[in-house]
Amino acid sequence: MTDSDAPVPEHPDNGRTRPTDLPQVRIPRQVHQAMVDLEAQLAQEPAAGQLWRLEFDGTVALVYLADLTDEHIVVVPVGEDVSYADDATVVVPADRSPLGFAIGIWTDLDLRLPRYVLDRKLGDLDVDVPDLTAEQPAEVLPTDVRYRYRQRLQEPLQELVDATERLADDDRGQQQPLSVLLRDQGVQPSQLRRAIDTRRARRAFQDQLYLPPTDPAVDVLAELADVDVDEVRRALPRPPQRLWVALHQLQWRLPTRRWAQDRDLPEVVARWRVAEEVGAGQFRRAGDTDTEPDWEQALTDFFRHTDA
Amino acid sequence: MSAFLELQQTGEIGEQTYTMLHDVAGGVVRTHNYPAPSGNEYWTKDEEWELVNEFLTGDRGLQRVITLFVKATDEHSLRNLAAAAIRNHLIDQFRNTDRGHLYQRLTDVIDDWDGLETFPTAAGPACRRVGAATDEIWSGTIRPLVMAAADVGDIRIERWRKAARRSPIADRESIARIIEAVLDQAEAAVLLSDLAEVMEARFALVRTPLVIELDDEPALEPSAADDTDREALTFTAAEEIFDQLSRKERILLAHYNDTLRELEPLLDVSKSHAGNLRNDLESKLKGMLASANDPEATLTELRTMAGTWTHECGISSHSTATD
């Protein structure tokens, strides 16, 4: 359980409300632009030597992009606390860092990942990074405080590796489908229609309701089925593998981002919604066949239609 | 609008983000029982807002906000990242305090010491001897543990360094021996937080010592203020040394002119042992007083403190230190 999930004891003091003056804290323009400016992002061509944000299924990591092919990237974790730097860390001083504060590149922790986890380019890194293949691992013992920091830097990258491998394995068949869970628990379609909406209720019973794990509808389903929220999360169908990979490609991240901005939605939530709309649309058209739809075409049609 | 969208759209801390950070900060301090700055049982709203302001505008405040901004993917992840960042901020602050310093020191010693280990419990990490048969946690008052800690003699003190602005503390082996004595007294595992309290009482570490900055240029004529400063310095030096003395050493100091026969029942040791303790105390005090501004005045102050302490503890005396 995370801190923000944990049940919080009530505050015993009903004293003052918040101070009237907001602290003046503004994110530097170039950082803000790199994150939200769609026009600027159109020109983001990945190349070695850049600082990138990786994202897949909501897991995020900041990395130095060391190398890339059409399918894969080689990345090195970037950390914000340079006081944990070791022999193999390249420190980028604040005045040369795209984030505006000093960052470290932990060069001996390089990792290979699918290219589709590239999310946003945060800037160019004009620093000399040694040849990773020749890089000797830093000698940091488990008793060293830097050891734990290295682990913390590796954790999100390892999560990305695991998530992308899980996607490649596609183990959806091993889970109890949502439709079976709902029927076993005696949930009636009419109940579901009232609690969410008709279209989504139908999709739930057809295992085509693609929901992010934090979506409020997950709680509604759990309450109706009278089961634990995690049981519903395990039963939720995943979007078709190739559609999901396609939606993570830079090519489709941008239109998804625009779609999200138009609807005041976070991009990760919008991606699930797009997957649901596009996925359900294709199944409706193709019927329940084993033929893999042309997802690229389906996405082109979807965004053309919604943009119009 | 959510805090996440506000940050995305405006690129600055607005109403939503500010309020969200306060919510999360309140949750963090209450869930993890961080001590309130005022020393009260709970954090007031003012203290929580102060924490958020410090988080946002203090050292590395902007860096924290940028990191949240570039790593968050939605409101849920923003809140989780904020909670982790606020916790880290509190831990950093805590480490910068004397108690945090002591807690860290205890953890380091236990990690390095072969016979001791820490293990997690619902109330926080606890310490036990390696291979201890019981997982039971000491739940009584810390007073008997403090007494056991005070009875551990031959503590090697690390010299107080003004530059470090930290209270002095004993060396690794001495700390480990005190911990072992406390565990023996408890006959159970002891929470690290309790252990820290015992150490605070043993070494009086929580107080940040009074440091009086004297002018580099000597004053032409001594003034009343100079006398007060000198007195304060002497008192502070004596207090720092006194806090590092064991129970037996304090009794010895209070009864410094007593014969060994008179010391025997007071210290509950043999005459020869009492003689050894007195010799040890002499050489220890010689070293500790060497850096004092006025060693003689400091020793007089120390003996007064020891006399008062034995009186308050009800330790019977035939003569007093100030006799």
Side-chain angles (χ1 to χ4, degrees), chain B residues 109 113 152-157 169-180 199 203:
Chain B
V109 170
W113 200 255
V152 178
D154 195 20
I155 300 300
R156 286 196 293 277
I157 305 298
I169 193 167
D171 72 345
R172 234 159 240 270
E173 191 196 331
S174 302
I175 292 174
R177 283 196 294 116
I178 293 175
I179 295 173
E180 286 174 343
M199 289 293 180
F203 292 107

Side-chain angles (χ1 to χ4, degrees), chain B:
Chain B
M1 188 196 291
S2 68
F4 173 79
L5 287 174
E6 181 183 72
L7 263 183
Q8 292 276 315
Q9 290 176 9
T10 66
E12 62 186 347
I13 299 295
E15 295 281 347
Q16 300 298 325
T17 315
Y18 196 36
T19 308
M20 179 278 290
L21 286 172
H22 177 258
D23 283 352
V24 171
V28 168
V29 297
R30 289 195 288 283
T31 306
H32 295 278
N33 279 327
Y34 282 106
S38 58
N40 291 333
E41 221 173 291
Y42 58 83
W43 288 61
T44 63
K45 289 272 184 202
D46 283 355
E47 285 171 334
E48 288 177 2
W49 283 115
E50 190 52 42
L51 168 64
V52 174
N53 284 348
E54 169 64 25
F55 175 81
L56 289 171
T57 59
D59 221 15
R60 302 205 297 175
L62 180 60
Q63 176 175 338
R64 284 189 281 268
V65 175
I66 295 172
T67 306
L68 293 181
F69 176 67
V70 296
K71 287 190 170 175
T73 56
D74 59 9
E75 185 73 6
H76 183 78
S77 73
L78 179 64
R79 289 180 73 95
N80 279 343
L81 287 165
I86 289 168
R87 270 195 78 187
N88 286 338
H89 174 63
L90 279 165
I91 289 168
D92 281 348
Q93 283 191 329
F94 185 64
R95 279 192 182 133
N96 288 333
T97 63
D98 283 340
R99 182 174 289 184
H101 180 69
L102 171 61
Y103 197 90
Q104 189 60 47
R105 175 82 194 219
L106 282 177
T107 311
D108 290 346
V109 170
I110 294 165
D111 286 350
D112 281 358
W113 200 255
D114 285 343
L116 299 172
E117 63 182 3
T118 55
F119 63 102
T121 74
C127 172
R128 66 184 170 202
R129 281 182 183 271
V130 171
T134 174
D135 279 347
E136 198 185 331
I137 309 287
W138 171 262
S139 57
T141 66
I142 65 160
R143 191 174 162 74
L145 306 185
V146 174
M147 296 305 278
D151 273 343
V152 178
D154 195 20
I155 300 300
R156 286 196 293 277
I157 305 298
E158 286 189 0
R159 183 70 62 82
W160 159 252
R161 288 173 296 119
K162 254 185 186 173
R165 293 184 71 86
R166 286 274 175 231
S167 308
I169 193 167
D171 72 345
R172 234 159 240 270
E173 191 196 331
S174 302
I175 292 174
R177 283 196 294 116
I178 293 175
I179 295 173
E180 286 174 343
V182 169
L183 292 174
D184 289 346
Q185 173 69 35
E187 293 180 341
V190 177
L191 289 171
L192 235 53
S193 51
D194 284 346
L195 211 45
E197 264 193 70
V198 171
M199 289 293 180
E200 282 169 13
R202 171 66 178 81
F203 292 107
L205 284 175
V206 173
R207 278 193 312 274
T208 299
L210 170 67
V211 178
I212 298 171
E213 300 293 343
L214 295 173
D215 292 337
D216 289 339
E217 296 293 324
L220 291 174
E221 287 180 10
S223 65
D226 290 333
D227 288 337
T228 313
D229 282 353
R230 263 197 294 279
E231 206 176 298
L233 270 177
T234 302
F235 181 80
T236 306
E239 203 182 27
E240 283 169 16
I241 294 171
F242 186 75
D243 286 337
Q244 296 168 46
L245 298 178
S246 72
R247 186 169 183 270
K248 281 180 178 151
E249 286 168 337
R250 289 175 182 186
I251 297 171
L252 259 175
L253 194 57
H255 297 265
Y256 209 71
N257 296 325
D258 284 16
T259 62
L260 293 179
R261 187 186 296 275
E262 287 167 329
L263 285 174
E264 194 179 3
L266 282 174
L267 297 174
D268 196 21
V269 294
S270 66
K271 274 189 289 182
S272 59
H273 192 181
N276 289 339
L277 285 175
R278 190 155 64 182
N279 291 340
D280 287 348
L281 179 63
E282 251 176 31
S283 48
K284 184 174 177 176
L285 285 176
K286 212 174 279 177
M288 295 170 93
L289 289 167
S291 59
N293 208 30
D294 184 345
E296 222 173 283
T298 309
L299 182 59
T300 307
E301 188 65 56
L302 261 174
R303 296 180 69 184
T304 309
M305 285 178 182
T308 311
W309 181 82
T310 49
H311 180 71
E312 283 173 356
C313 292
I315 297 165
S316 64
S317 58
H318 304 290
S319 63
T320 65
T322 49
D323 279 348

Side-chain angles (χ1 to χ4, degrees), chain A residues 196 200 211-223 229 233 269 273:
Chain A
I196 42 181
R200 301 193 100 195
L211 291 178
T214 54
D215 195 293
V218 176
D219 297 320
V220 174
L221 289 170
E223 200 181 330
V229 173
R233 286 187 183 134
V269 174
R273 296 268 172 91

